[in-house]
Amino acid sequence: VGEMDSEEIYASPPEERWGSSHCIFELQKTPVGGDAPEEPEFYSQRMISLLLSPKLEAKEKKLCGSGDLNASMTSQHFEEQSTLGEAGDGLSHLPSSFAYLLTIHLKEGRNLVVRDRCGTSDPYVKFKLNGKTLYKSKVIYKNLNPVWDEIVVLPIQSLDQKLHVKVYDRDLTTSDFMGSAYVILSDLELNRTTEHILKLEDPNSLEDDMGVIVLNLNLVVKQGDFKRHRWSNRKRLSASKSSLIRNLRLSESLKKNQLWNGIISITLLEGKNVSGGNMTEIFVQLKLGDQRYKSKTLCKSANPQWQEQFDFHYFSDRMGILDIEVWGKDSKKREERLGTCKVDISALPLKQTNCLELPLESCLGALLMLVTLTPCAGVSVSDLCVCPLADPSERKQISQRYCLQNSLKDMKDVGILQVKVLKAVDLLAADFSGKSDPFCLLELGNDRLQTHTIYKNLNPEWNKVFTFPIKDIHDVLEVTVFDEDGDKPPDFLGKVAIPLLSIRDGQPNCYVLKNKDLEQAFKGVIYLEMDLIYNPVKASIRTFTPREKRFVEDSRKLSKKILSRDVDRVKRITMAIWNTIQFLKSCFQWESTLRSTIAFVVFLVTVWNFELYMIPLALLLIFVYNFLRPTKGKVSITQDNQESTDIDDEEDEDDKESEKKGLIERIYMVQDIVSTVQNILEEIASFGERIKNTFNWTVPFLSSLACLILAAATITLYFIPLRYIILIWGINKFTKKLRNPYSIDNNELLDFLSRVPSDVQKVQYAELKLCSSHSPLRKKRSAP
């Protein structure tokens, strides 16, 4: 049964997840640390604003007191308008002039019904009052046990109504109904957070059990005379005064909500006697606040061995409860939660590895893991006037910490990065007024920091300084400019990716903003100034260890352009191998007498004089040849990739309609298989391109490191007999578990290659020159 809403009055987030939305919007929404809003925090912020500007605050309160409270306003704006009223548990004696704020924490769904042909669903939730949609959640693709973990604050004028919760399955053309439930608002207790497990029902459906939706609801009273003059009153506010108040509060929120002061290192070792039932595969999900990790999926076993490490950010002022869930998959790829357990991180001692055996709830078995809480320093947000590296004494102290003498101390602390976000120019206008409300999000691995918002400006000047601790010198700094849009997810205004090894210290640089795929120029430029201090020995050692895992995000959708591009990449690698084989074959066929004669002589000389050390020596000679070769070929390769990408984008725009109606419909039945094939093709293509780019000196640091390793291998093989080398290697392998029972096995060669960029990443990381040819406006005008 399909059901669609004809009128969507209130804004809702899109059905595709944007980055890590909870991390970004925690400054604008109710804090996630507890079930109820943290009222003392809001009161403290209010006192700061009153002390700094009491007249502005009083005027804002007076003007905004009669504003219209609808769902498009942020919860922070609610706190700016008036304070929460005190109320008891009774509702009958409350005056009619009172209104309410309902905080909804949409947690998860359990055992939802199947609506897709592949045996799963793509569920999302709508909250309705009086037939109007107040909020719509994001879509969780291919999951019957979705975890949304979204918080929204809704204004309620009257309690004589029902809050309807409806669940739909996202489809290409329409949305299939998956059941509904409701909550009677008058039954809720004031100022108390309660959990509600709502059973979904549909009178038109034949399913008896349609699953449940789990919510946390908190109802509070808010006093004020609410009239529908929100937009007129907002116009009366002076833009400068309003932005001043917002910036003051945001500055305090940034310091409190963004800066982590500890790193939680978790090593998931194994499961013990885990009961999997009829499941064929098993994996673990770990969650701390809005940070999520998912382990690798193993075949069903009573004692599965994961041997994986995950790093979480720890905030001492928030609830540090680590949620661990064990999930299973059956033969039809349906997921089911088998058991859960929790760890109170704040109760663990600092700088100490804790070996924990955690029994699972609602399931037999236990999990064995190591948990270490380590204090973290080096992350900061400040103004230009208090720039950390600007102080010569402080810079000298930091440089001393990463000098060569300290190369073997604290191997995880590789270096420090300082980024000055100065300004942006000529940004895209995202609002109807022809302006934007831009802010910057800086991402380095899993580390995220955000600037404040400059309202109504296409040429914002942030002048903020961000400091990141470096864990891997091969990470890429991503700077994304967004337009703030209230409760709705922000609009994309441009992005740039900067590898750390390409940073020119202390020089202001102008970067042309790119599109979301980092393949084409977008509108606007951004000015950054960066300083990087790191220890080369620590960075080199870190290169041969596994890369840091990224937080869990939504699975990538099928894309005709990406699939076609990956097929072409694999085809190029296959053709290169095939041409090499044909060349060697032609030498034996004497198609060219000169070529075959030279090959025959080389074969005789090499075999007669062959020694094992010649293998790394030959590889070393390839590096030397590519280093001495002119660089024109390298530049042309990058340009060719850029041009081919542009052509693909143009063709993709031309075939947009045919893509929706043609390709996607044809592969809908086998979308899981096609998605798997797409990922495999990308891995194969990336592996071959990384090997090529290692020899091509794409990243000089990595190529130099490879040359150093090959030179050492050549000398070792020349002077030390092979049997001694094999003996040392075998003794190390056999005694590794005895020396360190909890060591994580890894392949150093694959870890090294994972740091080398593929051809696609070379295009994404390439810095565009500021010229008229990259202007999107020029392209539009030149189009027929």
Side-chain angles (χ1 to χ4, degrees):
V1 179
E3 180 171 335
M4 293 293 292
D5 294 313
S6 59
E7 183 179 8
E8 298 286 340
I9 293 188
Y10 295 97
S12 59
E15 295 164 348
E16 298 179 6
R17 182 178 179 180
W18 167 76
S20 180
S21 59
H22 297 295
C23 176
I24 296 168
F25 291 117
E26 63 185 1
L27 307 181
Q28 300 175 355
K29 294 185 179 180
T30 307
V32 190
D35 293 328
E38 298 181 6
E39 299 174 13
E41 176 185 346
F42 293 133
Y43 288 145
S44 63
Q45 294 179 7
R46 190 169 185 80
M47 290 300 297
I48 292 173
S49 300
L50 287 171
L51 289 173
L52 292 176
S53 182
K55 293 183 179 179
L56 293 180
E57 182 68 14
K59 185 175 181 180
E60 185 194 27
K61 181 177 179 181
K62 181 179 179 181
L63 293 176
C64 297
S66 59
D68 173 38
L69 283 175
N70 60 30
S72 64
M73 299 176 64
T74 64
S75 59
Q76 180 182 357
H77 200 67
F78 293 149
E79 270 69 33
E80 292 178 1
Q81 289 183 340
S82 63
T83 58
L84 295 174
E86 298 180 355
D89 291 336
L91 301 178
S92 58
H93 64 282
L94 293 176
S96 59
S97 60
F98 275 70
Y100 311 91
L101 294 179
L102 178 64
T103 302
I104 303 174
H105 181 190
L106 175 60
K107 299 176 68 175
E108 60 181 353
R110 300 174 185 171
N111 302 321
L112 302 184
V113 293
V114 176
R115 285 293 181 263
D116 289 343
R117 300 172 184 175
C118 57
T120 60
S121 296
D122 305 325
Y124 65 93
V125 181
K126 288 183 179 181
F127 295 97
K128 294 187 174 184
L129 276 177
N130 295 327
K132 298 178 180 179
T133 300
L134 299 185
Y135 184 77
K136 183 167 65 176
S137 73
K138 66 175 180 287
V139 180
I140 304 296
Y141 291 93
K142 297 182 179 25
N143 203 325
L144 298 181
N145 296 277
V147 178
W148 287 283
D149 193 23
E150 297 184 33
I151 292 183
V152 62
V153 180
L154 301 179
I156 306 297
Q157 291 288 352
S158 172
L159 298 179
D160 298 332
Q161 51 188 332
K162 298 177 182 179
L163 175 68
H164 290 272
V165 182
K166 298 190 176 184
V167 185
Y168 298 90
D169 167 64
R170 166 70 163 81
D171 212 340
L172 293 174
T173 55
T174 183
S175 293
D176 299 325
F177 190 58
M178 297 177 62
S180 65
Y182 63 87
V183 176
I184 301 176
L185 297 181
S186 59
D187 294 342
L188 298 178
E189 297 185 31
L190 289 176
N191 302 324
R192 180 180 177 184
T193 300
T194 55
E195 183 180 71
H196 295 260
I197 301 179
L198 306 179
K199 183 178 179 181
L200 297 177
E201 296 179 349
D202 181 13
N204 298 323
S205 176
L206 299 178
E207 291 100 344
D208 295 330
D209 184 9
M210 304 188 69
V212 297
I213 295 293
V214 183
L215 306 172
N216 280 347
L217 299 179
N218 179 267
L219 185 67
V220 296
V221 181
K222 184 175 182 63
Q223 189 174 9
D225 182 19
F226 305 112
K227 299 179 181 179
R228 309 188 71 81
H229 299 298
R230 174 192 170 202
W231 296 108
S232 60
N233 288 334
R234 180 171 288 185
K235 291 180 181 178
R236 298 181 207 171
L237 283 175
S238 168
S240 59
K241 295 179 181 179
S242 178
S243 61
L244 173 62
I245 296 172
R246 291 174 180 173
N247 289 342
L248 290 174
R249 289 176 176 166
L250 183 56
S251 298
E252 295 299 322
S253 300
L254 283 172
K255 293 179 181 179
K256 184 173 182 180
N257 293 289
Q258 291 196 109
L259 305 182
W260 60 93
N261 47 18
I263 297 294
I264 306 169
S265 296
I266 297 175
T267 304
L268 177 62
L269 298 174
E270 60 181 359
K272 292 188 174 182
N273 302 320
V274 178
S275 175
N278 59 348
M279 298 292 119
T280 58
E281 296 176 330
I282 189 171
F283 64 92
V284 176
Q285 284 187 348
L286 302 97
K287 174 189 171 186
L288 181 66
D290 54 4
Q291 306 171 78
R292 297 175 182 272
Y293 280 112
K294 179 181 178 181
S295 73
K296 56 188 175 185
T297 303
L298 303 177
C299 294
K300 176 189 172 183
S301 172
N303 300 292
Q305 302 287 325
W306 282 285
Q307 303 290 329
E308 292 184 270
Q309 182 176 349
F310 310 95
D311 289 338
F312 289 92
H313 295 148
Y314 179 70
F315 301 84
S316 59
D317 58 342
R318 303 184 196 176
M319 183 175 58
I321 302 296
L322 175 67
D323 295 316
I324 306 169
E325 299 177 346
V326 180
W327 289 77
K329 288 184 180 180
D330 59 14
S331 57
K332 297 182 179 180
K333 302 300 181 181
R334 297 179 182 177
E335 298 179 356
E336 179 180 344
R337 186 166 56 187
L338 303 177
T340 62
C341 56
K342 297 179 182 293
V343 178
D344 186 1
I345 301 298
S346 59
L348 299 177
L350 294 175
K351 298 182 179 180
Q352 180 178 335
T353 301
N354 305 275
C355 184
L356 306 178
E357 185 172 341
L358 306 172
L360 297 175
E361 300 177 3
S362 67
C363 172
L364 296 177
L367 293 179
L368 182 63
M369 60 176 54
L370 304 177
V371 182
T372 305
L373 177 57
T374 307
C376 175
V379 54
S380 65
V381 180
S382 60
D383 295 319
L384 288 178
C385 57
V386 286
C387 178
L389 293 181
D391 185 4
S393 60
E394 187 171 356
R395 187 183 187 93
K396 182 179 179 181
Q397 182 180 1
I398 294 175
S399 300
Q400 183 66 25
R401 191 170 71 188
Y402 299 110
C403 65
L404 293 178
Q405 289 83 353
N406 298 325
S407 297
L408 300 180
K409 296 181 181 178
D410 193 5
M411 299 302 296
K412 289 188 176 182
D413 187 15
V414 174
I416 188 172
L417 171 67
Q418 177 181 277
V419 183
K420 295 180 182 179
V421 183
L422 303 176
K423 62 179 180 178
V425 177
D426 194 25
L427 294 179
L428 184 69
D431 296 339
F432 291 110
S433 60
K435 300 290 184 179
S436 294
D437 304 324
F439 68 91
C440 275
L441 178 69
L442 290 82
E443 299 177 88
L444 184 67
N446 287 324
D447 300 345
R448 292 178 174 89
L449 293 175
Q450 176 187 332
T451 68
H452 61 287
T453 303
I454 305 295
Y455 293 93
K456 307 300 180 185
N457 201 325
L458 298 181
N459 301 283
E461 295 186 8
W462 293 284
N463 292 324
K464 289 293 182 182
V465 182
F466 300 88
T467 306
F468 293 90
I470 302 298
K471 293 173 284 187
D472 192 344
I473 196 61
H474 307 288
D475 279 337
V476 178
L477 174 68
E478 295 184 359
V479 182
T480 312
V481 184
F482 292 100
D483 168 69
E484 184 183 305
D485 204 7
D487 273 347
K488 295 183 290 184
D491 298 322
F492 178 81
L493 296 181
K495 184 178 184 180
V496 64
I498 308 166
L500 295 184
L501 288 172
S502 67
I503 290 176
R504 298 180 289 272
D505 290 341
Q507 299 181 10
N509 293 299
C510 173
Y511 294 92
V512 177
L513 294 176
K514 300 182 180 181
N515 59 0
K516 291 183 179 180
D517 297 329
L518 294 169
E519 295 174 345
Q520 285 185 317
F522 207 69
K523 182 174 173 59
V525 296
I526 187 169
Y527 290 83
L528 305 173
E529 182 179 331
M530 291 167 285
D531 277 286
L532 177 66
I533 300 176
Y534 70 97
N535 183 287
V537 177
K538 291 182 181 180
S540 301
I541 297 175
R542 184 72 176 86
T543 303
F544 296 96
T545 58
R547 299 202 73 164
E548 181 185 24
K549 296 183 179 295
R550 299 299 298 267
F551 290 145
V552 173
E553 297 180 357
D554 286 342
S555 58
R556 195 173 63 176
K557 294 182 177 180
L558 296 178
S559 171
K560 175 185 174 182
K561 184 184 74 173
I562 295 177
L563 184 60
S564 176
R565 182 187 65 190
D566 292 341
V567 170
D568 291 338
R569 292 166 64 193
V570 174
K571 186 186 298 183
R572 285 196 298 267
I573 295 173
T574 306
M575 290 301 298
I577 297 174
W578 175 257
N579 292 334
T580 304
I581 295 174
Q582 292 299 315
F583 175 81
L584 296 176
K585 187 177 179 180
S586 67
C587 294
F588 295 104
Q589 299 294 332
W590 291 87
E591 296 177 0
S592 172
T593 305
L594 178 62
R595 181 198 309 165
S596 299
T597 303
I598 295 174
F600 182 60
V601 173
V602 170
F603 170 76
L604 293 178
V605 174
T606 303
V607 173
W608 184 257
N609 298 286
F610 177 76
E611 295 290 344
L612 196 60
Y613 70 87
M614 294 181 180
I615 296 178
L617 181 60
L619 296 176
L620 190 59
L621 291 176
I622 298 176
F623 277 101
V624 174
Y625 171 76
N626 287 327
F627 179 76
L628 298 177
R629 190 180 60 176
T631 59
K632 294 181 180 179
K634 303 176 187 177
V635 177
S636 62
I637 290 174
T638 304
Q639 292 176 350
D640 291 342
N641 288 334
Q642 180 70 50
E643 291 174 1
S644 63
T645 303
D646 296 344
I647 293 173
D648 289 341
D649 286 339
E650 293 174 3
E651 292 178 355
D652 184 64
E653 291 176 359
D654 295 337
D655 299 338
K656 190 174 181 180
E657 294 299 326
S658 62
E659 176 187 1
K660 291 181 180 179
K661 299 180 180 179
L663 179 67
I664 298 300
E665 291 180 357
R666 288 197 298 269
I667 66 176
Y668 185 81
M669 292 287 293
V670 289
Q671 54 184 342
D672 290 333
I673 299 176
V674 175
S675 179
T676 304
V677 171
Q678 176 179 310
N679 294 333
I680 293 175
L681 289 175
E682 183 175 5
E683 291 179 5
I684 295 174
S686 298
F687 182 77
E689 292 168 355
R690 287 187 172 114
I691 295 176
K692 178 196 68 175
N693 293 333
T694 302
F695 289 97
N696 284 344
W697 293 81
T698 300
V699 181
F701 181 91
L702 291 173
S703 299
S704 301
L705 186 60
C707 289
L708 182 63
I709 298 297
L710 290 175
T714 302
I715 297 173
T716 302
L717 290 172
Y718 183 80
F719 289 103
I720 301 177
L722 180 61
R723 60 178 177 272
Y724 292 155
I725 298 175
I726 296 177
L727 189 62
I728 295 173
W729 174 83
I731 292 174
N732 175 66
K733 281 293 184 181
F734 276 103
T735 60
K736 189 174 182 179
K737 285 296 181 181
L738 297 178
R739 290 182 281 112
N740 186 3
Y742 301 131
S743 63
I744 299 177
D745 295 330
N746 68 298
N747 188 309
E748 289 80 5
L749 179 59
L750 294 180
D751 292 334
F752 173 86
L753 288 176
S754 68
R755 267 71 175 195
V756 182
S758 63
D759 287 350
V760 174
Q761 291 174 326
K762 284 173 60 179
V763 175
Q764 293 175 344
Y765 302 159
E767 182 178 344
L768 298 178
K769 295 182 179 180
L770 185 60
C771 58
S772 58
S773 60
H774 290 296
S775 175
L777 296 178
R778 182 184 179 92
K779 293 181 180 179
K780 290 181 180 179
R781 290 171 184 171
S782 60

